[in-house]
Amino acid sequence: MEELKDVVLHVYQLSEAGARRNGNGNAAVAFLSRRLLPSIGMGAYHTSVEVDGRFYTFAANAGIVKTKQRDQGLPADYANAHQESIVLGASCHCCKGELNEIMQILSQTFTPTSYHLAHRNCNHFTETLATALILRDQLSRDNYNTHAPDTT
């Protein structure tokens, strides 16, 4: 029997000070995410998924990024902006071969040049990866049970 591994979602909030310090043009976005959006009950966040000690995210001009530390490889805008970690569930699809297969499939959609702030961003990637890892078996069982032939 395969060992179950936790799938953890990490949530980061833009750092207004980091964006200004780096002069990278994201100060307006950081201001919106740290001040304006929270005042109306909304926010703007970056996310990554941790599986078996590896962290996966999706970024503009980089595509899918895999690191060994939670904050490694994040843009300076997100420095010290880790907000929370949420255990989404457990997966048995974490062996190297299965995870590589899932990542290979996702890399066809989440390419370095396909990033779009509203339509294909880190949040879309983490949702897709977490779904593939956690619900893969459940979706297969549900699909089989729904379409199983009636033997009565």
Side-chain angles (χ1 to χ4, degrees):
M1 180 174 204
E2 294 184 52
E3 180 183 353
L4 292 176
K5 306 279 184 175
D6 281 340
V7 176
V8 181
L9 176 71
H10 295 282
V11 181
Y12 309 82
Q13 190 171 37
L14 284 173
S15 165
E16 182 181 349
R20 270 195 304 233
R21 182 175 54 250
N22 295 314
N24 60 8
N26 288 332
V29 173
F31 173 79
L32 288 172
S33 71
R34 299 287 280 190
R35 302 230 177 142
L36 182 62
L37 292 175
S39 72
I40 58 172
M42 299 176 72
Y45 302 95
H46 172 76
T47 54
S48 66
V49 170
E50 177 186 359
V51 182
D52 197 23
R54 302 273 193 248
F55 298 81
Y56 300 89
T57 193
F58 177 63
N61 302 315
I64 297 172
V65 178
K66 176 175 113 176
T67 63
K68 292 182 180 182
Q69 296 176 354
R70 184 180 72 200
D71 297 330
Q72 182 182 0
L74 289 177
D77 301 25
Y78 303 107
N80 302 316
H82 184 263
Q83 186 164 328
E84 66 180 310
S85 299
I86 304 165
V87 176
L88 300 176
S91 175
C92 62
H93 299 290
C94 298
C95 73
K96 192 172 185 176
E98 282 187 283
L99 190 53
N100 285 343
E101 180 183 332
I102 290 169
M103 297 310 290
Q104 187 171 21
I105 291 167
L106 293 180
S107 69
Q108 294 172 17
T109 299
F110 294 93
T111 66
T113 58
S114 70
Y115 185 93
H116 186 278
L117 186 60
H119 302 291
R120 184 173 291 136
N121 60 44
C122 59
N123 299 310
H124 297 107
F125 169 75
T126 55
E127 177 184 18
T128 304
L129 176 58
T131 300
L133 290 169
I134 297 170
L135 298 180
R136 190 174 182 177
D137 282 341
Q138 185 62 42
L139 291 172
S140 296
R141 281 194 299 274
D142 288 347
N143 189 45
Y144 176 78
N145 291 335
T146 302
H147 298 97
D150 186 4
T151 58
T152 57

